[in-house]
Amino acid sequence: MRPLPVGDHGLLIELDDGEDVGALHAELLRRRAAGALTATGEIVPAARTVLVTGIPDPAALAAELPRWQVPPLAPTARQVVEVPVRYDGPDLAEVAELWGVTEREVARIHSGTDFRVAFCGFAPGFGYLTGLAEHRRVPRRATPRTRVPVGSVGLAGTYTGVYPRPSPGGWLLIGTTDVVLWSPEREPAALLTPGAGVRFVPETAV
Amino acid sequence: MSGRSIRVVRAGALTTVQDTGRPGYAHLGVPRSGALDPGAHALANRLVGNEPGAAVLETTLNGCAVRADTPTTAAVTGAPCRVTLNGRPVAWSGPVAVPAGGVLSLGPAEYGVRSYLAFAGGLAVDPVLGSRSTDLLSGLGPEPLTDGATLPLGPARPVRPVSAPTLPWQAPPAELVLPLLPGPREDWFTDGALRTLATGTYRVSAASNRIGLRTEGPALERAREEELPSEGMTLGSVQVPPDGCPVVFLADHPTTGGYPVIGVVPQEALDPTAQAVPGTPLRFVLRRRRAAPGRN
């Protein structure tokens, strides 16, 4: 665990992998809720880091962090969001070729994976979901699409994501969902919040 | 609806609704947004008797014009500009009584970039996640103003007189000097890069916007060329994209990013960036981190 300074009142805590990020993020939220951590700003998990801002004394927190007992992520304790999906994306065939399997098998592998929302970014409610194995890694499109439709389910690297609104994007699109990813009237506004578990449920049998 | 509203006569280059933004949602990918010049925003509200965080209009370079559908009190702060009511000059940085049907017009900024126009009662557009701010990065909040649009006003409070000498206003500096605390990724750059950043003269680029203050000047050389996994970004982060020219993240900045941050400008030093016109000379002054705890 390497805490790096961010301005006068922030720390960027670098960790070894996404699992450690998820565990520390959960621990930071627990401590803040219990009044044991003063951080009046944001707590933002990402790929290998957690950013914490609004810390009165970041040097003291940085010194204390290595002594924290951070329990590992408990998968069973997590809330699991089910996302109905049609595996009909325009890049399904390309992903099948990259993985060396049939299109139907892509759907089976994807819908059989326990995903976790590692972090959000890019757009409100866009979650970066981890869970696919390293050998399922795929590149981004060489030329991003200028408009990806809302609800598109895509792959980039080992991440899966769902576009919460139409936007440009370079992810390989394998499917579509009708679920509303982002609604400011809802609490929380994002369907997929950091730490949540996610399962993709095919609308038709695969 | 009370029927209190204003109608946009001339929207200007870019006029948006702004309040104090929506902090606390960065983990969902939501930028904080909010007025770029918080001092001018709060002052405009004070002049019309509003709570300091009420929603106002933020203009960009060439002002705007609006018609009041009901009698109201307005005030213009931030970048000084010619303010007229039905074509006659009225006070800048003071309360102006606007009759029903009166057209209040803000001319081009004489210096600075952004003027703030507050109305008694504040702009009462529907809040999104607790804020009425337009977020230009992610599209939350109301669209930027368009000619003919109507914006509702909230109920006004009685205006308490504010005497002019209590209203200091700092003119935009001829040179922007931004303190910079190194990190978190200064080790992704060569030793020379930090020296270049601290001694080089940059200029504010015309590509600057509410997302970031872009710069032109000596490029900063990376010591590590690999890709940085996306990480959390904060207000004032100085991110260095592949062209080597630092970008200072402002209110509408993305919540995560994949280019290394060489240093961070403390939030309290960012206000002048809101009024820095393209071409303004810009210097970064390295500041070592204070040892003592307990500031806020």
Side-chain angles (χ1 to χ4, degrees):
Chain A
M1 195 175 334
R2 291 166 298 282
L4 305 168
V6 176
D8 274 322
H9 299 293
L11 286 178
L12 184 72
I13 306 158
E14 196 171 41
L15 297 135
D16 290 334
D17 58 37
E19 286 289 301
D20 286 356
V21 168
L24 180 66
H25 177 237
E27 179 68 13
L28 287 161
L29 294 183
R30 270 194 296 273
R31 290 194 182 223
R32 183 158 76 169
L37 168 71
T38 310
T40 56
E42 312 278 355
I43 298 181
V44 187
R48 295 284 177 275
T49 57
V50 184
L51 172 70
V52 186
T53 64
I55 312 164
D57 187 354
L61 180 60
E64 182 192 317
L65 272 169
R67 294 195 300 271
W68 283 16
Q69 296 291 321
V70 180
L73 276 180
T76 49
R78 261 186 259 140
Q79 144 224 8
V80 175
V81 181
E82 293 197 342
V83 177
V85 62
R86 295 181 296 281
Y87 286 98
D88 59 1
D91 301 323
L92 190 61
E94 186 178 340
V95 171
E97 196 178 323
L98 286 163
W99 287 2
V101 299
T102 62
E103 293 183 20
R104 182 173 282 244
E105 193 64 17
V106 170
R108 216 173 278 138
I109 292 164
H110 193 258
S111 60
T113 302
D114 284 316
F115 288 98
R116 181 175 64 85
V117 183
F119 61 99
C120 291
F122 172 63
F126 187 94
Y128 290 76
L129 314 187
T130 52
L132 284 177
E134 183 56 40
H135 68 278
R136 301 297 182 198
R137 178 177 287 275
V138 298
R140 283 164 208 252
R141 285 170 61 89
T143 310
R145 290 186 171 87
T146 52
R147 188 182 158 95
V148 173
V150 61
S152 296
V153 178
L155 306 179
T158 56
Y159 293 117
T160 287
V162 187
Y163 286 78
R165 54 169 191 172
S167 63
W171 291 38
L172 299 184
L173 307 181
I174 60 167
T176 316
T177 181
D178 297 326
V179 141
V180 177
L181 273 295
W182 173 259
S183 170
E185 289 78 36
R186 192 170 57 194
E187 175 52 41
L191 179 69
L192 308 180
T193 56
V198 182
R199 290 283 298 212
F200 289 90
V201 182
E203 284 183 0
T204 51
V206 290
Chain B
M1 285 297 294
S2 63
R4 289 168 46 80
S5 60
I6 57 166
R7 184 174 290 267
V8 180
V9 175
R10 183 177 68 84
L14 174 66
T15 303
T16 60
V17 176
Q18 294 297 336
D19 56 17
T20 50
R22 41 183 80 82
Y25 297 100
H27 62 291
L28 301 182
V30 177
R32 59 181 288 147
S33 192
L36 274 202
D37 187 337
H41 165 245
L43 177 58
N45 276 322
R46 191 175 157 204
L47 287 168
V48 297
N50 288 346
E51 297 288 347
V56 309
L57 293 180
E58 179 183 277
T59 68
T60 311
L61 288 171
N62 72 346
C64 69
V66 299
R67 174 183 291 113
D69 293 334
T70 49
T72 182
T73 304
V76 179
T77 63
C81 60
R82 183 178 147 89
V83 185
T84 62
L85 175 62
N86 294 328
R88 299 214 174 99
V90 290
W92 170 81
S93 207
V96 176
V98 183
V103 174
L104 194 69
S105 177
L106 283 63
E110 283 161 15
Y111 42 98
V113 178
R114 295 175 173 92
S115 302
Y116 291 84
L117 170 55
F119 293 93
L123 298 169
V125 296
D126 290 337
V128 177
L129 299 177
S131 167
R132 299 182 163 91
S133 287
T134 300
D135 167 358
L136 293 177
L137 181 78
S138 60
L140 299 183
E143 293 283 310
L145 261 54
T146 52
D147 293 353
T150 299
L151 299 171
L153 298 180
R157 307 193 305 172
V159 178
R160 278 175 304 162
V162 183
S163 67
T166 65
L167 302 175
W169 186 77
Q170 211 162 2
E175 182 187 40
L176 198 56
V177 179
L178 297 178
L180 183 88
L181 290 120
R185 297 293 180 190
E186 82 268 33
D187 61 337
W188 278 57
F189 298 86
T190 61
D191 292 342
L194 212 53
R195 204 161 45 241
T196 302
L197 186 63
T199 57
T201 293
Y202 290 85
R203 283 185 186 279
V204 174
S205 157
S208 299
N209 54 26
R210 286 182 44 83
I211 296 165
L213 187 85
R214 292 178 179 276
T215 67
E216 291 161 357
L220 304 178
E221 199 190 340
R222 292 245 307 242
R224 297 174 64 173
E225 288 304 330
E226 71 260 40
E227 205 169 309
L228 180 72
S230 276
E231 59 190 29
M233 295 282 144
T234 189
L235 188 65
S237 288
V238 179
Q239 200 192 51
V240 183
D243 70 5
C245 288
V247 178
V248 185
F249 273 166
L250 302 181
D252 290 357
H253 72 85
T255 56
T256 59
Y259 298 128
V261 169
I262 193 169
V264 175
V265 178
Q267 190 178 330
E268 61 272 16
L270 283 173
D271 293 11
T273 59
Q275 302 297 356
V277 294
T280 302
L282 162 63
R283 280 192 301 129
F284 292 96
V285 176
L286 282 196
R287 221 194 70 202
R288 288 296 147 193
R289 211 155 263 99
R290 290 176 230 163
R295 298 92 31 188
N296 57 15

